[in-house]
Amino acid sequence: MDTYVINGGNRLSGEINLQGSKNSALPIIAASILVDGNALIKRCPIIRDTVAMKELLLALGCKVSQEKNLFKVDATNCNKDEIPEDLMKEIRSSIVLMGPMLARHGRIKLTHPGGCEIGSRPIDLHLNGLRQLGATVNEEHGYIICEVNRLIGSEIDLDFPSVGATENIMMAATLAEGVTIIRNVAREPEIIELQEFLNRAGANIEGAGSNIIKIKGVNKLHDVEYEVGGDRIVAGTYLCSAAITRGEVLVKGIIPEYLRSTLHKLKETGCTIKIMNKENIFIKAPEKLKSVNIKTMPFPGFPTDMQSQMVTILTLAQGTSIIMENIFENRYKYVPELIKMGASIIVEGKTAIVTGIENLTGATVEARELRGGASLVLAGLAARDVTSVIGVRYIERGYEDFVENLRNIGADIKRVN
Ligand code: EPZ
């Protein structure tokens, strides 16, 4: 199994040129199916998830190329309406192909994406939203078949501000007849980026970033070029790599506002944070972090995708920290691996109680999902002796050049096949 071998204890120091955002790129790649022509997506990270989306779009009949960070899609001949099961299993984000495919073809058949390592991941909000736009949705034998003659704008209230459901409904409504109003939408930066991409292609959408989005349907979308913003969760992960190794790092190419709640918590732990010329974040860690309490919430609250990274740095803080995971029901799978390294953590339902210790010690640990896996690397960077993290394919779903970037700021880490 592919493994990262880490010799811990180095203080990290240096600069990171941040990758483009995975969670902005994935829905924007899906949205390129709506474009009657070419979509050019710049700063698209080369990670397992974007490679998987390329395979999916190729299977649907699109022309796709991914040269370095330039992702090109020509959806002119996108003529298939079934997503192959093996590809569906490869990436959960394929669920956001439903909206674009319905808008483009009036039909999509796909297997239920199923849960993953962090929770059951239901899609009821997606399906209900598409039904309210006029689609019929049948679930049989593990397949979902959505069909519609013409999507009709509607007023939709989301029970929960689901990121994926917001994206799916936005994309379906883009080419629907009439006006769609969606309330209680997700306010994540990824929604703002998707709106910007679609409007550049000729859509008529407003309100992304607030809790109400209004979409006036248009007949078609034209060629579009868009550069993806920096990945706020990857940025937060690198900031935590400095925090846990008592180092100092400059992360370049990120809108600090998109990371405000994480920066606020890192300051609470005693880290010094400076914003340098609007799009760079500098962090300098103290000799000893202070314990803090965290509750994950929808944006602009503290992001669930930074929960495992913060728990990890808090294993070495002074005192006890209480973390409450309010978004996903099974997002502490990395904790037993941290305990193998000496961490003192008790998980009770949604809550993790972290008691700070002096040192973590190296061990062989297993990544079981993306952000928890990245957090095991953070622990290895600080632990004494050698840590081997196996199952790195999970980490490489979302982190581009992770080993190279960490080595550039002083980490003793290598990838072993
Ligand atoms: C997106 O997932 C992100 N993925 C996740 O990042 C992120 O953790 C999540 O949003 C929350 O911010 C991408 O953008 C590709 P949700 P998504 O729908 O859209 C419940 C990472 O590490 N829910 O906002 O699947 C759901 O069970 C990944 O990069 C329903 O009940 O998240 C969960 O409890 C992990 N019914 C909550 O909403 C639905 O129909 C949030 O899910 C949909 C969701």
Side-chain angles (χ1 to χ4, degrees):
M1 211 186 241
D2 294 338
T3 302
Y4 293 158
V5 178
I6 307 160
N7 227 326
N10 297 0
R11 278 178 198 256
L12 299 191
S13 170
E15 295 188 1
I16 296 278
N17 289 310
L18 187 62
Q19 72 178 66
S21 163
K22 165 177 87 79
N23 290 351
S24 295
L26 295 175
I28 285 173
I29 290 170
S32 60
I33 287 177
L34 295 168
V35 174
D36 198 1
N38 294 303
L40 197 56
I41 304 161
K42 296 176 178 174
R43 199 180 177 189
C44 179
I46 300 181
I47 50 180
R48 296 177 63 82
D49 275 10
T50 56
V51 172
M53 283 298 272
K54 180 178 79 173
E55 296 307 317
L56 271 169
L57 263 58
L58 287 169
L60 293 173
C62 300
K63 278 191 202 139
V64 188
S65 69
Q66 189 173 20
E67 289 126 30
K68 193 76 185 80
N69 294 115
L70 203 52
F71 197 100
K72 290 183 195 169
V73 182
D74 175 354
T76 312
N77 298 317
C78 174
N79 51 14
K80 307 274 189 343
D81 56 16
E82 295 201 15
I83 297 181
E85 187 163 348
D86 56 329
L87 290 176
M88 192 67 205
K89 293 293 174 214
E90 180 68 19
I91 173 168
R92 209 194 110 68
S93 297
S94 44
I95 197 68
V96 291
L97 285 169
M98 285 174 69
M101 287 295 289
L102 266 184
R104 181 75 195 253
H105 291 302
R107 184 180 187 275
I108 181 165
K109 178 180 179 185
L110 67 165
T111 50
H112 205 289
C116 69
E117 305 69 19
I118 60 174
S120 60
R121 312 294 293 271
I123 59 170
D124 55 310
L125 300 177
H126 298 245
L127 301 182
N128 293 341
L130 296 175
R131 285 190 182 98
Q132 287 181 264
L133 294 174
T136 57
V137 179
N138 293 305
E139 299 185 65
E140 51 199 35
H141 315 303
Y143 285 97
I144 303 168
I145 300 163
C146 284
E147 292 174 309
V148 70
N149 291 324
R150 181 88 173 100
L151 289 163
I152 309 290
S154 175
E155 296 214 18
I156 298 166
D157 291 87
L158 290 179
D159 295 346
F160 182 86
S162 153
V163 172
T166 301
E167 292 165 345
N168 242 334
I169 299 165
M170 270 171 84
M171 291 189 278
T174 296
L175 298 183
E177 200 169 303
V179 175
T180 297
I181 308 257
I182 324 169
R183 291 186 177 84
N184 194 29
V185 290
R187 298 171 54 188
E188 273 72 3
E190 293 77 54
I191 307 297
I192 298 174
E193 291 218 64
L194 179 59
Q195 171 177 285
E196 179 58 25
F197 172 84
L198 289 167
N199 284 345
R200 279 205 201 162
N204 187 335
I205 307 173
E206 59 189 35
S210 77
N211 59 2
I212 299 181
I213 290 180
K214 182 177 178 181
I215 302 127
K216 288 181 186 157
V218 296
N219 290 325
K220 62 186 278 190
L221 298 184
H222 52 66
D223 290 0
V224 56
E225 200 171 297
Y226 181 80
E227 177 165 326
V228 170
D231 190 308
R232 60 193 174 97
I233 304 301
V234 172
T237 308
Y238 286 123
L239 294 173
C240 285
S241 74
I244 200 170
T245 60
R246 295 171 292 135
E248 52 183 71
V249 169
L250 179 68
V251 177
K252 300 168 75 174
I254 178 73
I255 298 176
E257 188 55 32
Y258 289 175
L259 211 55
R260 173 175 291 281
S261 54
T262 300
L263 299 180
H264 166 70
K265 279 298 164 186
L266 285 170
K267 283 180 199 165
E268 258 190 68
T269 66
C271 292
T272 302
I273 300 277
K274 283 192 194 121
I275 307 303
M276 321 282 275
N277 55 48
K278 292 188 192 155
E279 58 174 26
N280 303 332
I281 301 175
F282 173 77
I283 185 172
K284 179 170 177 46
E287 283 304 304
K288 190 79 177 166
L289 296 171
K290 292 178 212 151
S291 56
V292 298
N293 298 332
I294 294 173
K295 288 187 173 74
T296 67
M297 298 298 280
F299 194 91
F302 188 89
T304 173
D305 291 351
M306 280 300 301
Q307 177 255 100
S308 57
Q309 297 90 314
M310 288 302 288
V311 165
T312 301
I313 72 170
L314 292 169
T315 61
L316 294 176
Q318 186 69 42
T320 298
S321 304
I322 298 177
I323 291 85
M324 196 175 277
E325 171 54 59
N326 295 307
I327 306 295
F328 289 107
E329 70 272 22
N330 190 15
R331 204 162 196 177
Y332 289 122
K333 275 198 159 170
Y334 63 94
V335 168
E337 304 302 300
L338 287 180
I339 290 170
K340 280 185 199 167
M341 299 176 72
S344 172
I345 307 173
I346 298 169
V347 172
E348 289 283 342
K350 303 200 297 188
T351 304
I353 300 162
V354 184
T355 306
I357 58 168
E358 271 312 301
N359 287 298
L360 291 166
T361 52
T364 296
V365 289
E366 185 170 359
R368 298 174 194 282
E369 43 88 17
L370 168 58
R371 305 301 175 187
S375 301
L376 296 177
V377 174
L378 297 180
L381 294 173
R384 286 194 311 221
D385 319 320
V386 177
T387 298
S388 296
V389 180
I390 59 180
V392 301
R393 54 182 291 121
Y394 283 111
I395 302 171
E396 292 170 352
R397 281 188 46 211
Y399 288 82
E400 182 183 61
D401 299 334
F402 197 35
V403 170
E404 185 185 336
N405 282 331
L406 288 171
R407 289 172 67 86
N408 287 345
I409 57 175
D412 179 349
I413 179 173
K414 61 178 185 277
R415 189 182 198 282
V416 176
N417 295 340

